[in-house]
Amino acid sequence: MKFDTPATTNPIDRMKVVGQPIHRIDGQLKTTGTAKYAYEWHDEKMPYLYGYPVGAAIAKGRIKSIETDAAKKAPGVLAVVTTLDGDREKGTFNTAKLFGTDQVQHYHQAVAVVVAEAFEQARAAAALIRVEYAEEKGAYDLKEAMKIAVKPDDSKEPDSKAGDFDTAFAAAPVKLDETYTTPDQSHAMMEPHASIAAWNGDEVTVWTSSQMIDWWRGDLATTLGIDKEKVHLMSPFIGGGFGGKLYLRADAVLAALGAKAAGRPVKVALPRPLMMNNTTHRPATIQRIRIGAEKNGKITAIAHESWNGDQPEGRLEGAVSQTRLLYAGENRMTAMRLATLDLPEGNDMRAPGEAPGMMALEIAVDEMAEKLGMDPVEFRILNDTQVDPEKPERPFSQRNLIGCFKLGAEKFGWNDRPKVASRREGNHLIGYGVAAAFRNNLVLPSGARVRLDKDGVVTVETDMTDIGTGSYTIIAQTAAEMMGVAVDKVAVHLGDSRFPVSSGSGGQFGANSSTSGVYAACVKLREAIAQKVGFNSAEAVFENGQIRSGNRTVSLAEAAGPDGLIGEDKMEWGDLTKTHQQSTFGAHFVEVAVDAATGETRIRRMLAVCAAGRILNPITARSQVIGAMTMGAGSALSEELAVDTRRGFFVNHDLAGYEVPVHADIPHQNVIFMDEADPMSSPMKAKGIAELGICGVAAAIANGIHNATGIRVRHYPITLDKLIGELPDVA
């Protein structure tokens, strides 16, 4: 099925199941501990071994030799595989090689794996391996490297221009020109990168923690040097990914190579320090923002430039993407440059681009409102646009940013916002902060297979993954709505490469894309059922476990018969995004309390108002948004990978040194969804929601801190050392 015209009335619009607050169908499995995650797969007939990885002790250079004799002789050891055992081709989605090279591209790049009968034996033997390096000088400081940063030739996000920014900015009566920085950050998910690999002849099965089954399958086949059809991946449950498990990682490669060498199934989980340095992270950015406006508050010129670092041939962190679309202004420009750094690979982390971009832009917008003497909400509303500012002939499919701000201001009590540094409760300075939320709507092709059996049970099969977001539930709701059955008559099987290829999970595209794929497969199944019972499929009604046409009704169980029926299809996408810009919008409001003596910041309450198309399930959607809001709090106040710029590694590579928010840090969160459905987006009329919850949160907190203290911090995280020197006298 191809979605190339706006959706009209369809079965999803009944909203009997879709859009209802149905609890997770996999909830009992997770709360009882019976959901099997990657490292927990167990078959008593499979004699598992344990692999322990060894990471490079330098950040850049060449491996001269690896001494493994002592490790091989250690108790319980069955195999040792090193990166020198053979050159291996890099996968499509990886920037740095995962394994199979004498070149060290970053600290903790995998150089060996030890396989033993017990985990402790493998770990002890791994400590006996001796690696001799020829270390080279590397680049690890973004501020230094940005001086020679370049525009990648194959950049998918080119520089943009509209009007004459330089002239308009020079003429603007009110101007802002500031620089903001965001640090390197880690996904820091609870579940480590973990895999189990088992070979059967020349075919390998890997139980792993992957957001994108088909991407991993292809790249693992490339790395192992075998046909893709020889690789079977399974990932039905994932304990957090946030972009860190979008692309094949070393644990799967090491498990497969270790299992091949030992001749038995092997489990590999990356230790926490390797998760920070061996895998991907959100790269640091340096961002310059310039805004010019008339005295009445109308923006006349806006420019956003961003620099980030990555491995050679790495990726830009698209921090300017939201600035191209969020606010009006005839004269505008954006630009991004990439600096070569020899740090671990920078790559997608929740809401790549917009999340760090909004951290800067939404402080700048607040600063501009202050210069103009305007309320920050009013200033944002004044500069709203209903069309793409760079291409005014291209309207938004839906855009209710103003509605989000107005409703949010009312519910939050924005009218009670104190003047800057004016409200004090005991030892605490109180402030309110606000920021826009923005994330582009993305979709990917997605397939599914739907079966109807003799008992009237509908079974959905797709390689879509559930990273804790509720994929099982919304897919079940989609099938139930389309086939006219209750949710408990739907079984959902996910995360298996033997199933039709889906969009996978990430980038806010998973829910809308995967349910659209299920929609397409259900249309095929509806047609097959109608044809079998002799009905016109266009006129048939599916409800209450039956198909009805005119005065004739047949149960789905009867229609399926003893052999059952199958529908399979793939949702593909047309060119509607070329005529209409599709994005999601929101507003974040935050109240903070800053200790007047220490500068410690506490969040008191948070509100997010989101306009993101049809909400497929308000319970799972809310869970995603409050989780994203919590991530935004971490980005604002604590999360930072500290770079050793001499040796090129992240020093705080564990959860003791890399500080993420805990329950006590987030006392009260509220989420409101605007009532809307976008027919330009998909047959589901939905959009993604997850990333929207983080975009803007950090800036809202930063703006709240400024409102409380009068101190403007432009460099994240906003730790107390950046406040304490400018706090008012305690006396």
Side-chain angles (χ1 to χ4, degrees), residues 21 27 109 134 141 145 150 169 337 398 542 585 591 622 682 713:
Q109 190 171 20
D141 189 327
V150 299
F169 184 71
R337 297 295 180 263
Q398 281 188 344
F542 289 76
F585 300 90
E591 178 182 339
R622 179 182 182 276
S682 75
V713 181

Side-chain angles (χ1 to χ4, degrees), residues 32-88:
T32 57
T34 50
K36 290 185 179 180
Y37 292 84
Y39 203 72
E40 297 170 336
W41 280 88
H42 183 72
D43 184 339
E44 293 181 356
K45 298 177 183 178
M46 295 179 73
Y48 294 104
L49 300 173
Y50 295 85
Y52 196 86
V54 178
I58 64 170
K60 185 178 183 181
R62 183 176 60 84
I63 298 173
K64 298 171 66 175
S65 65
I66 301 179
E67 176 54 57
T68 62
D69 287 349
K72 289 178 178 178
K73 295 175 183 177
V77 173
L78 278 77
V80 177
V81 182
T82 80
T83 190
L84 300 181
D85 289 342
D87 188 33
R88 298 194 173 275

Side-chain angles (χ1 to χ4, degrees), residues 465-500:
T465 52
D466 190 324
I467 55 176
T469 49
S471 298
Y472 278 100
T473 307
I474 59 173
I475 285 174
Q477 288 176 266
T478 302
E481 193 78 79
M482 289 295 293
M483 303 312 302
V485 299
V487 169
D488 61 8
K489 297 290 283 185
V490 179
V492 179
H493 300 305
L494 303 180
D496 191 323
S497 64
R498 295 170 296 189
F499 299 154

